[in-house]
Amino acid sequence: MDGKKIKNTVGRMWSHYSFIFVMFIIMIVYAIAISANGNTFKWSHIAAILGSQNTCIVGTMALGMALVIITGQIDLSIGSSLVLTTSATIVAFNMTDSILVMILVALLVGGACGLINGLLVGLAKMPPFIVTLGTMLIYRSLTLSVVRTIDSSISGSNSSQFAMLRTNSKYNFLRMQFGTGKLAIGGFSVPYITFVFLLMVILFIVISKKTKFGKSVYAVGSNEKSAHLSGINTTFVKIAVFVITGLLVGVASILQACKIGNITPASSGQSYEMYAIAAVVLGGVSMSGGRGRLLGVLFGALSYTTINFIIVSIPSLSVDIQDTFQGLVLIVVILIQTAGPVIKESIKTAKRRRLA
C-alpha cells in the first residue's frame, strides 16, 4: 500500500511539475558535456544560463506567449514586434537621453503591436495564425522603412543597425551597469536582467492564479463557449492576452537594448517566436489551450537555453545543425504532450476490460 501511495505521489508530482524534472535532467546532461571537455561545471555556467539572452529576453516574451496559447491562440509576430519596439526604444533614447522616455516608448510601441493583433483576432474574428503571420511581416518591414527613415533624418546615419549612443549620459548606467552588470549574492553573482525576468514571472504567476482575469484566461482556453455562457467577456480576454504579450515585448526590448546595446532589423529576432513557443511547451503548457502553469515558463526558458549551451559545448557538432536539435526537442515534447494522455487512457481502458 505504501508503495502504491509513493507511486501515486510521484505520478502527481510528475504530472504537475514535470518541467522541473526535465530542467534538472537537461542540466545534468550539460554538466556531463562540460566535464567531457575537461572542464569543471561551476556557478559561472549557471549564471551564464540565467543571464542569457534566450532566458531573459525570450523568456519574458514567452510569458505572454503562454497566456496566448492557454486561450487557444498563437502569436507568430513577437520576434518582429521585438525588432520594431527595440528600434523605436533605441531611437527614443538617442533623441532624449531619458530612461523614462525610453521605457514609455518601449511599452507604448509593444502594447500597440499587441493591440493590433488582439483587435484583429478578438473583434474581427480572424484566425490568430494568419493575423500574426501577417503582422510578423509588417512589423519588421516598418522597422526597415519608417523607423530607419526617422532615425537617419535625425542622426544622419545610414547604418544597418540601431545602436544606443555612447555619448549619452545614461549610456554607461543602462548598458554597462544594468545591461551587463551582475549582483553579488553570498559569493555568487547573478545578472541584473535576470531579476527583471524573475519579477515578471512572479507577477504573472500571481495574475494567473489569484485574479479573476487569470481564471478567465484558463476558462476561455478550456471551453470558449462555456466561458461566454458563464458571463466571461471572451472577446476582451482574447484581446487582452495579445496586449499583455505586446507589453512584455516592450519589457524585453528594454532588456535587449541594455544587454546588447543595438539591434539589426534584418536579422535580429529571427525565430524568436519559435524559441518562445519551445519555452512554453517545455514548461508544460498545453498547445491545445486551457492547461499549464506560468511557473513552467521559467523552467522552460532555462531548459531551452541549456539545450543551446549543450550543443555549443560539443565541439563535434556544427552550429549550423543547432536548429535541428532545437526542432527535434520541440517535436518530442509536443509528442509526449499529445501521446501521453492517449496512452494513459488506453492503459486505463485495458484495466477496466480485464476487471470486467
Side-chain angles (χ1 to χ4, degrees), residues 288 291 334-353:
S288 60
R291 290 185 292 115
I334 293 178
L335 179 64
I336 292 170
Q337 274 193 1
T338 54
V342 174
I343 294 170
K344 190 175 181 180
E345 186 60 34
S346 298
I347 293 171
K348 285 183 179 180
T349 303
K351 283 183 178 179
R352 284 196 295 266
R353 285 176 180 172

Side-chain angles (χ1 to χ4, degrees), residues 297-352:
V297 176
L298 167 62
F299 290 93
L302 292 172
S303 297
Y304 204 66
T305 301
T306 308
I307 291 168
N308 291 340
F309 278 44
I310 292 170
I311 295 169
V312 172
S313 68
I314 301 174
S316 59
L317 286 178
S318 168
V319 178
D320 296 334
I321 204 169
Q322 183 170 330
D323 284 347
T324 300
F325 281 90
Q326 292 171 340
L328 285 172
V329 168
L330 185 58
I331 290 171
V332 168
V333 172
I334 293 178
L335 179 64
I336 292 170
Q337 274 193 1
T338 54
V342 174
I343 294 170
K344 190 175 181 180
E345 186 60 34
S346 298
I347 293 171
K348 285 183 179 180
T349 303
K351 283 183 178 179
R352 284 196 295 266

Side-chain angles (χ1 to χ4, degrees), residues 36-321:
N37 289 330
N39 298 316
T40 304
F41 187 69
K42 297 179 290 188
W43 170 257
S44 59
H45 293 103
I46 297 175
I49 293 169
L50 290 172
S52 167
Q53 188 172 345
N54 276 353
T55 299
C56 298
I57 297 173
V58 177
T60 298
M61 296 190 295
L63 288 168
M65 181 71 82
L67 291 175
V68 171
I69 288 175
I70 288 170
T71 57
Q73 305 175 102
I74 197 74
D75 188 348
L76 300 178
S77 69
I78 60 170
S80 297
S81 298
L82 178 71
V83 168
L84 175 59
T85 306
T86 306
S87 300
T89 299
I90 290 174
V91 170
F93 172 72
N94 290 345
M95 289 173 59
T96 64
D97 193 19
S98 168
I99 295 175
L100 178 60
V101 171
M102 177 182 175
I103 292 171
L104 289 175
V105 168
L107 296 178
L108 284 171
V109 176
C113 290
L115 180 61
I116 291 169
N117 289 336
L119 290 175
L120 291 173
V121 172
L123 286 182
K125 308 299 181 185
M126 295 175 66
F129 182 89
I130 301 300
V131 167
T132 57
L133 183 62
T135 53
M136 176 180 73
L137 301 173
I138 293 168
Y139 295 155
R140 192 175 295 271
S141 176
L142 286 174
T143 309
L144 290 165
S145 56
V146 178
V147 182
R148 178 171 287 167
T149 301
I150 294 171
D151 183 54
S152 61
S153 65
I154 294 169
S155 64
S157 170
N158 291 314
S159 172
S160 60
Q161 284 187 337
F162 292 95
M164 297 175 73
L165 291 178
R166 296 172 181 267
T167 53
N168 281 4
S169 63
K170 308 294 193 305
Y171 176 84
N172 282 335
F173 170 76
L174 289 173
R175 177 87 173 91
M176 309 310 295
Q177 295 180 42
F178 172 69
T180 57
K182 296 179 181 181
L183 177 66
I185 304 175
F188 301 107
S189 59
V190 180
Y192 286 116
I193 64 170
T194 303
F195 290 104
V196 177
F197 174 45
L198 292 177
L199 179 64
M200 293 297 104
V201 171
I202 293 168
L203 174 63
F204 281 92
I205 287 174
V206 172
I207 290 173
S208 66
K209 285 182 169 292
K210 303 296 183 181
T211 67
K212 184 179 178 181
F213 172 75
K215 293 173 183 177
S216 298
V217 168
Y218 284 91
V220 170
S222 297
N223 191 316
E224 185 178 345
K225 186 175 288 186
S226 296
H228 176 70
L229 292 173
S230 66
I232 295 173
N233 187 337
T234 56
T235 299
F236 169 77
V237 171
K238 293 172 78 172
I239 294 172
V241 292
F242 279 104
V243 174
I244 290 170
T245 301
L247 292 173
L248 286 167
V249 168
V251 174
S253 74
I254 297 169
L255 299 182
Q256 170 82 18
C258 294
K259 181 175 175 60
I260 311 301
N262 62 69
I263 195 161
T264 306
S267 58
S268 296
Q270 295 283 0
S271 301
Y272 273 22
E273 52 281 336
M274 295 299 107
Y275 299 158
I277 292 170
V280 169
V281 171
L282 280 170
V285 176
S286 173
M287 289 297 291
S288 60
R291 290 185 292 115
R293 300 167 186 265
L294 292 193
L295 175 63
V297 176
L298 167 62
F299 290 93
L302 292 172
S303 297
Y304 204 66
T305 301
T306 308
I307 291 168
N308 291 340
F309 278 44
I310 292 170
I311 295 169
V312 172
S313 68
I314 301 174
S316 59
L317 286 178
S318 168
V319 178
D320 296 334
I321 204 169

